[in-house]
Amino acid sequence: QVQLVESGGGLVQPGGSLRLSCTASGIIFSSTVMGWYRQAPGKQRELVASITTSSRTNYADSVKGRFTISRDNAKNTVYLEMNSLKPEDTAVYYCKAGAVLISWGQGTQVTVSS
């Protein structure tokens, strides 16, 4: 019954910005750890950023200082603001809910290319 729906992906030039959104249903959102992961072709899925129920954040070293994760509990939505994008950021970005019982969204494609 859990549903996670991502949006905001697209094609952007190096140095550009995008904001991803993930809206959740079927969970008590305010009590759930949320995160963003990404997966490029031929590579394993990796953590990009996570945010706890008290809005503490954690980032991969590769995106620290460029990406910002946030949550709006009133809207059941988690965001990923991506700035100074690089070609190596190209991947499918997935929304994740939970730390023990885990749910995944379908993903949204981000392509960074000139």
Side-chain angles (χ1 to χ4, degrees):
Q1 300 282 26
V2 179
Q3 285 191 307
L4 305 174
V5 181
E6 302 101 330
S7 63
L11 175 64
V12 65
Q13 293 183 335
S17 299
L18 286 172
R19 187 174 76 155
L20 307 183
S21 299
C22 171
T23 299
S25 61
I27 60 171
I28 304 174
F29 184 83
S30 61
S31 300
T32 304
V33 174
M34 302 295 296
W36 287 97
Y37 286 67
R38 66 187 181 187
Q39 187 169 25
K43 297 183 179 180
Q44 293 190 348
R45 191 171 299 186
E46 65 175 355
L47 173 70
V48 176
S50 63
I51 185 165
T52 70
T53 57
S54 60
S55 293
R56 288 176 292 177
T57 58
N58 185 50
Y59 298 93
D61 288 342
S62 59
V63 308
K64 191 174 183 179
R66 299 189 296 122
F67 291 10
T68 302
I69 189 171
S70 62
R71 65 192 297 155
D72 186 339
N73 289 342
K75 297 182 178 180
N76 283 9
T77 299
V78 62
Y79 304 94
L80 185 68
E81 182 75 34
M82 304 184 293
N83 302 125
S84 301
L85 283 161
K86 305 174 181 180
E88 51 262 45
D89 295 318
T90 296
V92 177
Y93 284 71
Y94 296 92
C95 181
K96 178 187 175 183
V100 178
L101 182 62
I102 296 170
S103 298
W104 293 95
Q106 290 273 34
T108 185
Q109 177 72 50
V110 172
T111 302
V112 185
S113 177
S114 60

